[in-house]
């Protein structure tokens, strides 16, 4: 929306109303902490369901996830604890979506490896990457899945394998806590 001068209208009429909107904005580290708690809660729920201590909903959850993930069901709590640890221990700010995507890809590749060496135990999800054995054979499919696993860890940890002999301050890319002014205007 623009006014007669061709500039964008501010969503807030006064500075006080603008500050009210910022009050409900969470700091990125708080968001990471919230997601860490969600992941810890999910891991605990899956562990309880694995021991049949989560009631009828837990039994249904275990049955459904075991069908999809096979024995990889038992990897899920580890993956959720790993995600929580990444968000809680890491000193750098993390992008929640890309970190979660990296861990999900790691789980998928592990299930592919399970399916390559133990057919039928990787669940429906493991069939995706496990079926590479029909195209490439077991060894090549295992190499592909292991490569995907390593890439997934690099994504989740936002880590580079490149070794720098000379460390410079320019190598570190900081993720800003606040959007730039142009982004703030677009959001409004």
């Amino acid at each position: 929306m623009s006014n007669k001068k061709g500039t964008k209208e501010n969503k807030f009429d006064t500075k006080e109303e603008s500050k009210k909107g910022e009050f409900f904005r969470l700091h990125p580290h708080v968001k990471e902490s919230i997601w860490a708690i969600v992941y810890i809660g999910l891991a605990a729920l899956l562990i309880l369901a694995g021991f049949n201590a989560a009631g009828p909903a837990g039994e249904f959850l275990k049955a459904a996830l075991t069908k999809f993930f096979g024995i990889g069901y038992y990897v899920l709590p580890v993956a959720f604890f790993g995600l929580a640890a990444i968000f809680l221990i890491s000193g750098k700010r993390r992008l929640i979506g890309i970190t979660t995507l990296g861990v999900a890809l790691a789980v998928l590749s592990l299930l592919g490896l399970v399916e390559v060496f133990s057919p039928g135990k990787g669940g429906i999800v493991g069939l995706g990457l496990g079926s590479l054995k029909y195209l490439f054979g077991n060894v090549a499919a295992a190499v592909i899945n292991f490569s995907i696993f390593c890439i997934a860890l690099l994504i989740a940890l936002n880590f580079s394998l490149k070794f720098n002999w000379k460390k410079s301050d320019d190598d570190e890319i900081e993720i800003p806590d606040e959007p730039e002014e142009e982004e703030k205007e677009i959001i409004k």
Side-chain angles (χ1 to χ4, degrees):
M1 299 188 158
S2 55
N3 59 15
K4 294 177 186 177
K5 294 180 185 178
T7 60
K8 294 181 182 179
E9 287 183 14
N10 193 344
K11 182 178 175 181
F12 304 104
D13 294 329
T14 66
K15 287 184 180 180
E16 287 179 21
E17 289 176 355
S18 177
K19 287 181 182 178
K20 286 180 187 176
E22 290 179 15
F23 174 76
F24 293 106
R25 179 185 238 169
L26 293 175
H27 189 276
H29 293 298
V30 173
K31 291 178 187 177
E32 290 171 358
S33 298
I34 290 169
W35 278 105
I37 291 169
V38 167
Y39 290 135
I40 290 169
L42 286 171
L45 180 64
L46 291 176
I47 290 170
L48 289 171
F51 287 109
N52 297 323
E59 290 175 16
F60 174 77
L61 184 65
K62 181 182 176 190
L65 291 177
T66 301
K67 181 165 182 74
F68 282 109
F69 297 106
I71 62 171
Y73 170 83
Y74 299 102
V75 174
L76 292 176
V78 174
F80 286 136
F81 279 131
L83 273 167
I86 289 170
F87 289 129
L88 293 176
I89 295 172
S90 175
K92 292 192 280 185
R93 185 167 163 234
R94 300 284 178 182
L95 297 174
I96 295 166
I98 200 76
T99 304
T100 304
L101 175 69
V103 172
L105 191 58
V107 169
L108 180 65
S109 63
L110 283 176
L111 292 176
L113 281 169
V114 167
E115 192 62 33
V116 166
F117 294 113
S118 299
K121 298 201 178 195
I124 294 171
V125 175
L127 282 173
L129 289 176
S131 63
L132 291 172
K133 68 182 177 182
Y134 300 117
L135 295 172
F136 298 102
N138 285 349
V139 175
V143 168
I144 293 168
N145 278 297
F146 184 72
S147 298
I148 293 170
F149 177 76
C150 291
I151 292 167
L153 288 181
L154 293 176
I155 292 170
L157 298 173
N158 194 19
F159 183 77
S160 170
L161 293 179
K162 184 176 179 182
F163 182 74
N164 292 328
W165 290 97
K166 295 178 183 179
K167 183 74 173 166
S168 69
D169 294 336
D170 296 337
D171 292 341
E172 191 79 21
I173 297 175
E174 299 263 338
I175 301 171
D177 287 340
E178 292 292 323
E180 298 295 325
E181 288 300 319
E182 295 174 5
E183 293 175 353
K184 285 183 180 178
E185 291 179 13
I186 292 171
I187 293 171
K188 293 178 183 180

